[in-house]
Amino acid sequence: MSLSTSIYVPGDSWLHRIDPRVKLAFAVGGMVTLLSLGNLPLFVAFLAVCHVVLLSAGVPVGRLAWAWRLMLPVTFLIPILWPVFSTVGASVLFELGPVTVTALDVWQALAMAARVDAMAFAFFVWLFTTDQTSMIMGLVGLGVPYQWGLMMAIALRYVPTLYESFQRVMDAQRARGLVIARWNPVRAGRAYVPALVAMLIGSLRAAERLAWAMEARAFGAAGRERTVRRQLHFRPVDGVAAAIVILGFTAVIVARVLFGFGQQPLSLF
Amino acid sequence: MRGSPTLIHVEDLHYTYPPPIPDQQSPAPALRGIDLDIERGEFVAVMGPTGAGKTTLSLSLSGLVPHATGGVIRGDVWVDGRNTKRCSVADLATVVGHVFQDSESQLFNMSVEDEAAFGPESLGVPADKIERRIDWALGVVGLEGLRQRSPATLSGGQQRRLAIASVLAMRPSVLVMDEPTAGLDPLGRQAVLSVITDLRRQGTAVVMTTQDPDAAAFADRLVVLEAGEIALAGAPREVFSQVERMHNFGLDVPQVTEIGRALGWDPLPLTLDDVDRRGTTERLRETGRANRDPKSSSNLSGSPSIHVDGLWHNYDGIQALSGVDCVVGHGDFVALIGANGSGKTTLVKHINGLLLPQKGRVVVLGDDTRSVPAGVLARCVGYVFQNPDHQIFAPSVREEVAFGPRNLALSAGDVEARVNAALKTFDLGDRAATPPATLGYGVRRLVTLASVHAMRPDIVVLDEATVGLDRRLEHRLMTWIEKLRARGVTVVMITHDMRLVAEHAERCVVLQAGRVLANGAPADVFADDSMLDAAGLAAPPVFELGRRQELRPNES
């Protein structure tokens, strides 16, 4: 897929229309809740819910695949590295020099990987379906100063742009006969260095140009009160969604504290 | 000065940029004593060769020079009663709208409509009025159907239109546009010129830098810059009548003027309407014949160089190509034309394998592009990118040019020889050690050509490589292409300059919404009115001239 797109997936689904503050609450609340848990089936269930929600909002499968590709290194590195540093559990699976790998280690490692993915998807629900203006308005509605909200939204807008400028240099090199030997890390690395340097210089220049572009559109002009084209409307359905999100996560956290719910990697209690 | 008819008052303006690398010597002054007064409702075009100071002058009107660029300024610029030295860029932006030369860097929002809304929001325009302004501004540039798209996914020409719309939506009393028509298709160009006409009627002062004499002909006044000074100024008719002088500056005059001059007319015509008024059918018949394309026949004999077969491409839900078929013979010169966003860049990126077919097949020099890595294909296919900055990545000109040959498994001596030859071809020898980013646009374009030249490719693909070049540089580029062709190199060139197509191409392929609408000799393609209309294109002035005189160039 070409990533000349923004993170946002344009649309007008139920999820796009949900108040951005509710979606942000879902992302942040989800993150806190997930951090308090350690249960693999719960993480997988949370991921499943996120996928259903995103698909029902018309987010293409290709975009979900893109998100997974992004998470790929973490998803694989955690299970590989976790057992090296962890020595819990009794049933030893195998020993490799000083490293003892137990069954519990493996389940825990998988749970940790799934947790990171689940947290990422909690944020993808917000990022994929919230356009820049709503995002800013949502943050402003939560008390964040407008300037900060705008800066954050623009920073997010530039993430794909950075990736694209990296890709562009790689294209420019391929267009002049470079064949990247992926099996040879030294040679591949040598090709990536100029691309990274160019991306860095490009991003500095982009930051400067961004300042020009914003000023040239009267951003921060003295004596002008900035207006916003779209105001947020907190509809009854947003209230219901907010209630579900808040009550749901609170219930899980309470159960976790009182009854130890979802603490173990495999069993719920 | 507020309320007086003079909106812009430039007095003895001198400006020097800071040195590109700190502690180095300052570059030569960019502006040297500019005096200029522009009134409400006046449309001033600024022409000048590359590096003459056009962009610097436009930046000084919006205060970006010197506030954002630094450097040393002397003299004054007053805009609507404000001295730019004592006024921030943002404050000036409440009266001056500035469309940058590089549209891509001007866009920073996530959707087309947010982009258009940003300026009015800064100005504190009430929400309901902003909606109306967005509708109007996007309508003017023809982007109304793309409100939800991300600006980053638009084509180069569409980005230019959006940059213009985002400034128009602010309803500035002074509109500064730096080469607004560069890279626009003929319809887009027409739309920009007609919105300028409307705005000046409402009292807006418009300053437009351009390389396009046909656009400059619409201005009330034409100012020619050379080496930071006003070399020539006056009504376009007067300025363009000095054909020889304009050519010496490295500038073009309208094609119609050129023809009038060849025919010894007095006064010289400026627009097609002038010719109509004259109505000298008899004399025109001769030019109609003289200008008939001598290269109408295509040499499609032998195996094709490029064979595109049923090609489809879709970017994350945006359909770019829908079943393109086309064949390019060895040594052919094919121009690829079509409206902004019709899929031209997407198509040519398949020729060197930067993009691979999602459906269909592309065969280049006998190889299916899917079976060969782009890097290997690139050794035979030279590619000149639309934006030189997308192509340049090395720390010095020499390194940039050497990058390609080093991938060709040549000896160090051979690489050296090729690099030196390429540098010599484009007179870049004394700039070999310079970082390309510090060079002017025109020179950066030459660097990209040198880097392709050094590869000695069999096929050269150029994506709007002439945009933003003055007559001299354009001539240099076309001479280079003609030399390549003499050596049997196949050339595929994307362009919106129909004049170039008529003068150089053997064949032209018209794209419209991802499909091939026409494919034939320029003379035939330009004679097909209804097809050109459907494609959003217009024939070059010389064909139009022939048509108005009922002299179709394809008739004998």
Side-chain angles (χ1 to χ4, degrees):
Chain A
M1 179 180 108
S2 129
L3 237 175
S4 59
T5 51
S6 63
I7 299 174
Y8 172 64
V9 180
D12 193 31
S13 72
W14 68 273
L15 191 56
H16 285 83
R17 286 195 299 265
I18 287 274
D19 190 288
R21 284 166 289 191
V22 177
K23 285 184 271 187
L24 187 57
F26 175 79
V28 175
M31 187 177 76
V32 171
T33 310
L34 290 164
L35 281 174
S36 75
L37 302 174
N39 183 272
L40 181 60
L42 280 179
F43 296 150
V44 173
F46 186 87
L47 277 169
V49 169
C50 288
H51 279 71
V52 169
V53 163
L54 283 170
L55 287 172
S56 75
V59 174
V61 177
R63 188 52 77 94
L64 296 176
W66 171 81
W68 276 109
R69 266 208 300 282
L70 204 69
M71 301 305 298
L72 208 61
V74 182
T75 311
F76 276 98
L77 277 180
I78 292 178
I80 292 167
L81 293 179
W82 185 270
V84 179
F85 301 105
S86 163
T87 46
V88 288
S91 60
V92 175
L93 287 182
F94 58 89
E95 286 182 55
L96 204 79
V99 180
T100 312
V101 178
T102 65
L104 190 59
D105 281 340
V106 171
W107 288 119
Q108 241 175 14
L110 289 176
M112 289 309 106
R115 181 162 78 180
V116 173
D117 292 335
M119 288 194 295
F121 270 90
F123 277 89
F124 284 139
V125 166
W126 175 53
L127 291 171
F128 282 174
T129 62
T130 313
D131 66 73
Q132 196 170 9
T133 311
S134 308
M135 203 175 266
I136 300 168
M137 293 319 295
L139 292 168
V140 172
L142 291 169
V144 175
Y146 182 84
Q147 252 77 343
W148 294 18
L150 180 66
M151 283 309 141
M152 210 190 119
I154 288 180
L156 278 170
R157 143 85 164 77
Y158 273 84
V159 172
T161 309
L162 271 182
Y163 178 77
E164 195 186 309
S165 68
F166 173 78
Q167 209 56 48
R168 214 177 256 154
V169 179
M170 297 307 294
D171 275 357
Q173 297 192 339
R174 289 200 298 154
R176 273 188 282 141
L178 181 78
V179 180
I180 297 163
R182 286 184 198 284
W183 58 90
N184 183 338
V186 178
R187 287 190 58 189
R190 224 177 349 188
Y192 285 130
V193 169
L196 287 170
V197 170
M199 182 178 86
L200 196 72
I201 293 171
S203 66
L204 291 176
R205 194 198 271 189
E208 189 193 29
R209 285 306 169 112
L210 172 63
W212 288 30
M214 292 179 71
E215 276 189 285
R217 269 192 270 158
F219 183 71
R224 298 278 184 153
E225 183 76 25
R226 203 180 158 80
T227 47
V228 274
R229 181 169 59 98
R230 263 186 303 160
Q231 294 293 344
L232 295 181
H233 299 288
F234 200 80
R235 303 160 300 159
V237 64
D238 293 315
V240 173
I244 294 172
V245 167
I246 292 167
L247 291 178
F249 287 144
T250 310
V252 172
I253 290 176
V254 167
R256 159 75 180 80
V257 173
L258 295 183
F259 313 111
F261 171 76
Q263 208 173 353
Q264 301 304 318
L266 287 176
S267 59
L268 284 176
F269 288 95
Chain B
M1 203 176 288
R2 207 177 289 255
S4 79
T6 306
L7 260 183
I8 301 175
H9 176 66
V10 181
E11 199 174 307
D12 194 28
L13 180 66
H14 294 255
Y15 176 73
T16 306
Y17 281 99
I21 302 163
D23 303 329
Q24 268 196 353
Q25 213 185 334
S26 285
L31 298 177
R32 301 189 299 171
I34 302 282
D35 289 299
L36 189 64
D37 280 296
I38 298 171
E39 291 182 6
R40 250 168 240 289
E42 201 183 0
F43 173 21
V44 175
V46 180
M47 287 184 81
T50 311
K54 301 185 298 297
T55 295
T56 310
L57 179 60
S58 70
L59 289 170
S60 76
L61 299 179
S62 60
L64 285 162
V65 159
H67 292 298
T69 54
V72 183
I73 190 165
R74 213 174 77 217
D76 289 289
V77 179
W78 298 81
V79 180
D80 199 18
R82 296 153 217 241
N83 188 316
T84 59
K85 274 191 233 166
R86 289 189 280 279
C87 213
S88 77
V89 175
D91 290 348
L92 283 167
T94 60
V95 284
V96 185
H98 189 170
V99 179
F100 296 173
Q101 188 175 21
D102 174 12
S103 322
E104 197 184 343
S105 76
Q106 189 162 12
L107 307 175
F108 53 88
N109 287 276
M110 275 190 195
S111 72
V112 166
E113 57 176 3
D114 285 344
E115 200 67 66
F118 191 90
E121 286 179 331
S122 299
L123 296 176
V125 176
D128 52 325
K129 288 206 177 123
I130 293 180
E131 273 321 315
R132 261 180 280 152
R133 287 201 187 185
I134 298 176
D135 284 339
W136 170 74
L138 293 180
V140 164
V141 299
L143 286 181
E144 55 277 78
L146 303 176
R147 285 180 73 130
Q148 298 297 328
R149 277 272 288 273
S150 161
T153 65
L154 299 179
S155 79
Q158 288 170 331
Q159 287 183 338
R160 166 103 40 206
R161 288 159 183 252
L162 178 56
I164 293 169
S166 68
V167 169
L168 287 181
M170 296 174 76
R171 297 209 145 265
S173 37
V174 175
L175 180 60
V176 180
M177 302 168 115
D178 199 355
E179 305 216 14
T181 57
L184 282 195
D185 57 44
L187 276 187
R189 204 169 137 271
Q190 204 49 54
V192 169
L193 292 173
S194 73
V195 76
I196 289 176
T197 310
D198 288 349
L199 289 174
R200 78 218 254 219
R201 227 173 268 144
Q202 293 159 27
T204 310
V206 182
V207 180
M208 174 184 80
T209 73
T210 188
Q211 294 288 359
D212 175 359
D214 293 305
F218 282 88
D220 299 313
R221 192 143 50 104
L222 173 57
V223 171
V224 177
L225 285 186
E226 207 209 19
E229 287 177 271
I230 295 180
L232 207 57
R237 191 174 297 279
E238 288 165 35
V239 173
F240 283 132
S241 67
Q242 306 180 46
V243 179
E244 206 59 52
R245 238 180 125 189
M246 290 298 277
H247 284 179
N248 287 339
F249 289 132
L251 299 173
D252 273 325
V253 300
Q255 198 178 13
V256 177
T257 308
E258 203 119 28
I259 292 166
R261 179 166 171 259
L263 296 174
W265 290 5
D266 187 43
L268 289 174
L270 189 64
T271 61
L272 287 165
D273 293 343
D274 293 349
V275 178
D276 283 356
R277 258 176 251 128
R278 196 179 167 99
T280 49
T281 317
E282 200 45 51
R283 291 165 93 176
L284 260 171
R285 190 159 284 146
E286 289 163 29
T287 26
R289 280 204 200 104
N291 277 284
R292 203 178 318 123
D293 203 326
K295 306 167 197 148
S296 302
S297 63
S298 169
N299 50 337
L300 259 183
S301 52
S303 67
S305 180
I306 303 163
H307 187 166
V308 178
D309 183 17
L311 178 63
W312 291 69
H313 199 92
N314 180 308
Y315 293 106
D316 199 20
I318 298 159
Q319 194 65 42
L321 297 177
S322 321
V324 169
D325 296 302
C326 99
V327 178
V328 179
H330 280 290
D332 256 2
F333 185 161
V334 174
L336 187 55
I337 59 179
N340 295 131
S342 57
K344 301 184 296 297
T345 298
T346 306
L347 175 56
V348 296
K349 279 195 172 167
H350 281 86
I351 298 176
N352 69 346
L354 282 180
L355 293 176
L356 293 177
Q358 288 165 347
K359 219 163 102 190
R361 210 161 62 105
V362 178
V363 179
V364 174
L365 299 170
D367 287 321
D368 189 314
T369 57
R370 263 185 298 218
S371 65
V372 190
V376 173
L377 209 54
R379 292 164 193 177
C380 320
V381 184
Y383 188 98
V384 181
F385 284 65
Q386 191 170 12
N387 181 342
D389 299 331
H390 291 178
Q391 185 170 351
I392 292 172
F393 52 83
S396 73
V397 170
R398 176 174 290 278
E399 285 296 309
E400 187 66 40
V401 177
F403 184 86
R406 279 190 194 139
N407 288 321
L408 295 179
L410 299 168
S411 72
D414 285 350
V415 170
E416 182 78 13
R418 281 200 186 196
V419 171
N420 288 335
L423 291 174
K424 191 157 172 272
T425 306
F426 294 96
D427 285 337
L428 292 167
D430 50 345
R431 279 158 168 155
T434 316
T438 63
L439 299 169
Y441 182 88
V443 187
R444 295 210 296 282
R445 174 55 80 206
L446 292 182
V447 172
T448 65
L449 299 181
S451 66
V452 167
H453 181 83
M455 303 280 294
R456 307 220 174 127
D458 301 316
I459 300 173
V460 170
V461 177
L462 301 109
D463 191 353
E464 293 191 44
T466 58
V467 168
L469 300 186
D470 60 24
R471 177 189 163 88
R472 212 171 279 153
L473 286 173
E474 183 187 289
H475 181 73
R476 190 155 197 185
L477 171 61
M478 296 318 296
T479 314
W480 175 64
I481 292 176
E482 291 299 341
K483 275 191 190 141
L484 291 180
R485 295 205 51 224
R487 295 213 305 253
V489 174
T490 307
V491 177
V492 177
M493 182 169 86
I494 296 180
T495 184
H496 290 296
D497 189 340
M498 301 304 149
R499 194 167 157 174
L500 279 184
V501 176
E503 282 169 16
H504 295 273
E506 269 167 340
R507 207 147 55 81
C508 72
V509 174
V510 182
L511 275 192
Q512 197 254 333
R515 289 170 207 277
V516 175
L517 204 60
N519 182 348
D524 298 333
V525 168
F526 289 137
D528 189 346
D529 284 351
S530 55
M531 187 279 297
L532 287 176
D533 274 352
L537 298 175
V542 64
F543 281 84
E544 184 62 26
L545 198 65
R547 185 172 8 243
R548 290 199 185 189
Q549 304 291 332
E550 289 178 32
L551 239 185
R552 308 218 165 200
N554 61 335
E555 286 171 8
S556 50

